[in-house]
Amino acid sequence: MADSLKAPVHPPVSTTASAVDLRPRDRLGRTLRDLRISVTDRCNFRCPYCMPREVFGPDHVFLPESAVLRDDEIVRLARAFIRAGVNKLRITGGEPLMRAGLPALLARLAALPDAADLSLTTNGWMLARLAPDLAAAGLHRVNVSLDALDDAIFGRMNGRDFGARRVLDGIEAALAAGLGVKVNMVVQRGVNDTEILPMARHFRARGITLRFIEYMDVGTSNGWRMDQVVAAKDIVARLHADHALEPVGPNYHGEVAARYRYVGTTTEIGIISSVTEPFCSACHRARLSADGRLFTCLFASTGTDLRGALRSGLDDEALFALVSGVWRARSDRYSDERAERLARGEHPDKIEMSYIGG
Ligand SMILES: C[S@@+](CC[C@H](N)C(=O)[O-])C[C@H]1O[C@@H](n2cnc3c(N)ncnc32)[C@H](O)[C@@H]1O
Ligand code: SF4
């Protein structure tokens, strides 16, 4: 890759706490800024890289309703996380639009004092119908996952033979409702990498940011292999050969996507390179599973049971102390260590992405 196209560097996190910055810092000096909240472990797709049919088939046992956090529990937890420093809330799953009454929950989150940036990640299948209600509830942005335009390829990527049209209609409906829209594409070598350029051209023409995500070894069920990963630098090189790109600096410290702009346009792309160029030192993200377990790393094996704490009657002060304490104890940096751990033959029992929230 040409030097001028090198991905913007993720700056190291300062470990010097400023006099006014009372946010908890973890053992590597990282603050907590970003919370992903999974609102369901269920999904209407069976993307083989996330919920392969062989594992998530008819016999798979999903969480019972009583185990899933209720709206009021999610709102209380969000308040504690915002107090601990979170300024971005992202609703995810499973497929979050499958949660009944989601707009009402969003409205409560949007109304929180110091309301954080509120966004949602969805496969877009139910978006055309729900977009107006989501926008009216106060949602700011959606990230729509779409791995191909070609129906045959997309059908394989979603595991259900669903075509792309309905997701594209969902994207248009979200734009029409006034929501910010970005599109996420997981790239898997030999499965959908032929779609990199068609997707790029389509969304460039629409002026929509497309973000390419390296295929990751989340969970244990997708049979991930390194040779299925198309490296970020190769994706950028292919795009640059089609239409010149220029790097754009990060919007904020710790932004996970390296950003580029198509020269002569205002349209950007993003690249999320957590496999080939890990960014653990700038990771400010925690994840809450649908049943209220707190995970401090996407590749974690264990989490902290916040639902149990909530249901045992913990008050807001104790809840804040619990959340802050978990963050302070954090030292995980799996992506940085991946290569060494795999070389040592270590295969940790990682949580599935559909459960932990992507
Ligand atoms: C787990 S999904 C949950 C939200 C929603 N169902 C969706 O697909 O957007 C969140 C994101 O994780 C991505 N994802 C899932 N498994 C992945 C993997 N193994 N590697 C990279 N990204 C993955 C999905 O493509 C999606 O963009
Ligand atoms: S990536 Fe999203 S849409 Fe695909 S199976 Fe996972 S949760 Fe469902």
Side-chain angles (χ1 to χ4, degrees), residues 112-178:
L112 286 175
D114 301 321
D117 172 56
L118 184 60
S119 63
L120 174 136
T121 301
T122 172
N123 63 28
W125 195 246
M126 298 163 72
L127 190 55
R129 179 163 61 80
L130 286 170
D133 289 349
L134 300 176
L139 183 71
H140 303 141
R141 301 179 292 111
V142 286
N143 280 11
V144 183
S145 305
L146 177 65
D147 297 329
L149 293 173
D150 177 274
D151 280 342
I153 298 175
F154 184 55
R156 283 196 287 280
M157 289 299 277
N158 61 51
R160 298 288 310 270
D161 286 331
F162 289 154
R165 183 70 263 159
R166 184 160 154 172
V167 179
L168 293 168
D169 289 346
I171 291 170
E172 294 306 323
L175 288 170

Side-chain angles (χ1 to χ4, degrees), residues 63-231:
L63 292 170
E65 204 182 322
S66 60
V68 174
L69 290 180
R70 301 185 299 264
D71 285 8
D72 56 323
E73 293 173 325
I74 292 176
V75 172
R76 266 194 78 195
L77 285 171
R79 215 183 275 126
F81 277 96
I82 290 172
R83 192 173 155 199
V86 161
N87 57 17
K88 285 165 71 80
L89 292 178
R90 176 176 294 278
I91 305 304
T92 180
E95 173 48 39
L97 298 188
M98 290 183 72
R99 179 172 172 123
L102 184 69
L105 170 61
L106 293 176
R108 291 179 67 183
L109 292 172
L112 286 175
D114 301 321
D117 172 56
L118 184 60
S119 63
L120 174 136
T121 301
T122 172
N123 63 28
W125 195 246
M126 298 163 72
L127 190 55
R129 179 163 61 80
L130 286 170
D133 289 349
L134 300 176
L139 183 71
H140 303 141
R141 301 179 292 111
V142 286
N143 280 11
V144 183
S145 305
L146 177 65
D147 297 329
L149 293 173
D150 177 274
D151 280 342
I153 298 175
F154 184 55
R156 283 196 287 280
M157 289 299 277
N158 61 51
R160 298 288 310 270
D161 286 331
F162 289 154
R165 183 70 263 159
R166 184 160 154 172
V167 179
L168 293 168
D169 289 346
I171 291 170
E172 294 306 323
L175 288 170
L179 293 167
V181 175
K182 288 180 185 164
V183 174
N184 285 345
M185 172 183 181
V186 174
V187 181
Q188 212 179 340
R189 188 184 303 285
V191 186
N192 72 333
D193 50 339
T194 52
E195 287 289 289
I196 292 174
L197 288 185
M199 286 279 289
R201 289 173 187 153
H202 178 86
F203 289 106
R204 185 170 71 225
R206 285 292 287 115
I208 294 174
T209 301
L210 174 60
R211 305 192 325 160
F212 298 90
I213 306 177
E214 285 182 346
Y215 174 39
M216 293 185 286
D217 52 337
V218 275
T220 51
S221 65
N222 61 12
W224 180 90
R225 293 196 323 262
M226 187 65 205
D227 63 9
Q228 296 171 318
V229 178
V230 181

Side-chain angles (χ1 to χ4, degrees), residues 43 45-47 49-51 93-95 123 354:
C43 187
F45 283 16
R46 284 293 176 273
C47 309
Y49 55 78
C50 177
M51 296 180 79
E95 173 48 39
N123 63 28
S354 57

